[in-house]
Amino acid sequence: MRKVVRGFYAIAEAVRLSRPNVIAAYPITPQTEIVENLAEMYANGELGDTEYVTAESEFGAASMVLGASAAGARAFTATSSQGLLLMTEVLYNAAGMRLPIVLVVANRSVSAPLSIWNDIQDSISIRDAGIIQLYVESNQEAHDMIPLAFKVAENRDVLLPFMVCVDGFKLTHAYEPVDLLDQETVDKFLPPYEPVVKLDIEKPAALGCYAPPPYYMEFRVAMEMAMERAREVMLKEFEEWYRLTGRDWGGYVVAENCEDAEVVVVAMGSIVALIREVVKQMRKEGKKVGMLKIRTYRPFPHEEVRKALKNAQKVVVIDRALSIGAEPPLAADVKSALFGLSPEFHSVVMGLGGRDIPREQIEKLINDVLEGKAKPGKRFEGLYEFEEVIP
């Protein structure tokens, strides 16, 4: 059923349809409305046998879904920014324990200074935790990715947490027409969760136990192997989703007009929609420009990125996060994928803390690179002149 809804409702409805056993929640802007909608569904008896638990903190919420998942439950939570950072210790444990928790991160900048607005510094900061990360462009994609996240995470060849990253406010609070799923469709795609192993007094097992040096490294390498296997599992489920719903979101990446492009812009998240419109218009003007959307940041699609950018003379990577003291995160990964190739490389950081990125700024950025007016290397766009004052 196609309806105009806000992003947080589209996400909550997809969670409901995925029949989770346990939802643990703690509010934080701009994620709060996701769990508020789920709480309302719970109060109205729309969540069936789901246990909805209000935690005392994000650390508590993450600990609850970890325990529930370890006991064999399909578990969900959501958070943002400092809340995600407070969950981090638990999420590293969940990944190491191979628990297929699904969480939505409504992306928000990280303090200090305090900001409730959008960039993707929060989820990027835990990219090495062993959690699958997928960045969505629209609320329809966010809605569709929830059942898919559960199915991929729960695959016995994967068994890793899955994070669906949704731009806070820009998507979570935006009204968009969304083709809402129905229960029959989701049930056909996502079977009931049958854990491979769980905490069970009838069949005792230990999870997350002590691993001295002779054992620890093997556990971590096993996580790496699982992340690699997730690539194949995700492709299969992307195709299955297309067959079932008719909605093709692509694979790990979506490459548009890259084959003959002199300049290709690489980005992920909701900014992709704006870049696509700019690229379309510039194509009509006869300019050879293209766009590469990164969907899965972990596992990172090195081969697909390299293939899409192999003919590009100039590559522009837009980051909305920093790795202070090093290359911006997405730029570093793209540069690694292009090792041995030599396109002119532009690493552009913009939109931190929710700073607006107008269409004209993207047009000027691409035109400057196309016409050779911009020097390659790292730079900040949309930055005001300022003086750092240290008393």
Side-chain angles (χ1 to χ4, degrees):
M1 182 195 309
R2 194 169 177 81
K3 293 178 69 175
V4 176
V5 297
R6 299 179 87 173
F8 47 72
Y9 176 80
I11 293 166
E13 176 66 2
V15 172
R16 183 187 72 80
L17 294 169
S18 298
R19 301 185 188 273
N21 303 114
V22 175
I23 298 170
Y26 188 80
I28 181 171
T29 303
Q31 171 279 136
T32 302
E33 285 81 356
I34 297 173
V35 294
E36 275 186 352
N37 272 267
L38 286 166
E40 185 176 351
M41 293 171 184
Y42 179 70
N44 292 337
E46 298 170 14
L47 290 181
D49 296 329
T50 302
E51 288 288 334
Y52 182 98
V53 187
T54 302
E56 76 281 7
S57 70
E58 287 88 353
F59 187 89
S63 298
M64 288 172 185
V65 292
L66 181 148
S69 184
R74 176 174 287 166
F76 174 84
T77 189
T79 190
S80 296
S81 186
Q82 311 300 126
L84 178 62
L85 299 186
L86 190 53
M87 286 184 173
T88 301
E89 178 188 348
V90 183
L91 294 177
Y92 266 81
N93 271 311
M97 294 167 69
R98 308 292 299 277
L99 300 175
I101 296 163
V102 169
L103 68 156
V104 167
V105 172
N107 287 115
R108 169 186 144 180
S109 53
V110 171
S111 300
L114 176 63
S115 166
I116 63 169
W117 305 106
N118 167 251
D119 61 35
I120 60 173
Q121 188 70 60
D122 49 2
S123 52
I124 286 287
S125 296
I126 61 166
R127 62 189 182 275
D128 299 327
I131 300 172
I132 296 168
Q133 287 195 6
L134 187 146
Y135 289 77
V136 301
E137 175 187 346
S138 66
N139 286 330
Q140 182 70 67
E141 188 175 11
H143 183 68
D144 284 6
M145 290 303 105
I146 302 299
L148 190 139
F150 278 113
K151 193 169 184 186
V152 171
E154 293 169 2
N155 187 298
R156 63 172 296 130
D157 289 334
V158 180
L159 295 177
L160 290 171
F162 198 123
M163 181 186 294
V164 180
C165 302
V166 185
D167 280 329
F169 290 119
K170 293 176 187 294
L171 290 179
T172 56
H173 288 60
Y175 282 98
E176 287 183 5
V178 176
D179 193 357
L180 296 171
L181 296 160
D182 58 57
Q183 193 64 67
E184 183 181 358
T185 301
V186 175
D187 286 348
K188 194 178 293 183
F189 177 77
L190 180 64
Y193 178 39
E194 295 291 341
V196 177
V197 62
K198 64 179 181 179
L199 297 178
D200 185 345
I201 57 173
E202 302 296 330
K203 195 176 179 182
L207 297 178
C209 53
Y210 179 62
Y215 303 106
Y216 180 87
M217 191 168 171
E218 285 72 17
F219 278 99
R220 305 303 289 182
V221 173
M223 292 169 64
E224 174 78 16
M225 294 162 63
M227 189 67 82
E228 287 298 318
R229 291 194 297 270
R231 296 176 189 275
E232 187 176 341
V233 172
M234 273 193 285
L235 273 189
K236 174 175 170 289
E237 298 304 340
F238 288 155
E239 291 169 4
E240 177 63 22
W241 188 259
Y242 172 52
R243 278 195 292 272
L244 190 62
T245 68
R247 292 195 285 273
D248 183 6
W249 295 106
Y252 317 121
V253 301
V254 177
E256 298 179 7
N257 299 305
C258 291
E259 296 81 6
D260 64 343
E262 294 177 26
V263 176
V264 177
V265 183
V266 184
M268 56 188 188
S270 62
I271 192 176
V272 167
L274 174 61
I275 295 170
R276 177 180 291 113
E277 290 305 310
V278 172
V279 166
K280 278 183 183 176
Q281 181 59 40
M282 295 179 87
R283 276 272 164 181
K284 289 178 182 175
E285 297 167 3
K287 297 175 180 176
K288 291 188 174 181
V289 298
M291 185 205 76
L292 181 65
K293 168 185 173 180
I294 307 287
R295 297 186 70 220
T296 60
Y297 184 58
R298 289 293 181 270
F300 191 77
H302 286 92
E303 291 182 12
E304 290 74 14
V305 168
R306 186 179 180 87
K307 182 180 177 184
L309 299 179
K310 65 180 181 181
N311 297 326
Q313 298 172 23
K314 301 178 181 180
V315 173
V316 180
V317 179
I318 295 179
D319 266 282
R320 293 183 293 134
L322 285 174
S323 177
I324 293 173
E327 290 265 7
L330 182 57
D333 283 315
V334 171
K335 194 175 280 188
S336 171
L338 297 180
F339 180 76
L341 303 178
S342 54
E344 189 176 290
F345 198 91
H346 297 257
S347 172
V348 179
V349 179
M350 59 201 309
L352 300 185
R355 182 155 302 177
D356 193 25
I357 304 174
R359 179 189 181 101
E360 296 75 19
Q361 189 175 12
I362 297 293
E363 291 172 347
K364 184 175 187 306
L365 168 66
I366 299 175
N367 274 323
D368 284 351
V369 172
L370 194 62
E371 297 166 9
K373 295 179 181 175
K375 291 183 180 178
K378 172 183 170 182
R379 64 180 180 277
F380 298 89
E381 292 278 350
L383 187 67
Y384 305 140
E385 285 190 21
F386 72 101
E387 180 183 358
E388 185 184 22
V389 178
I390 300 176

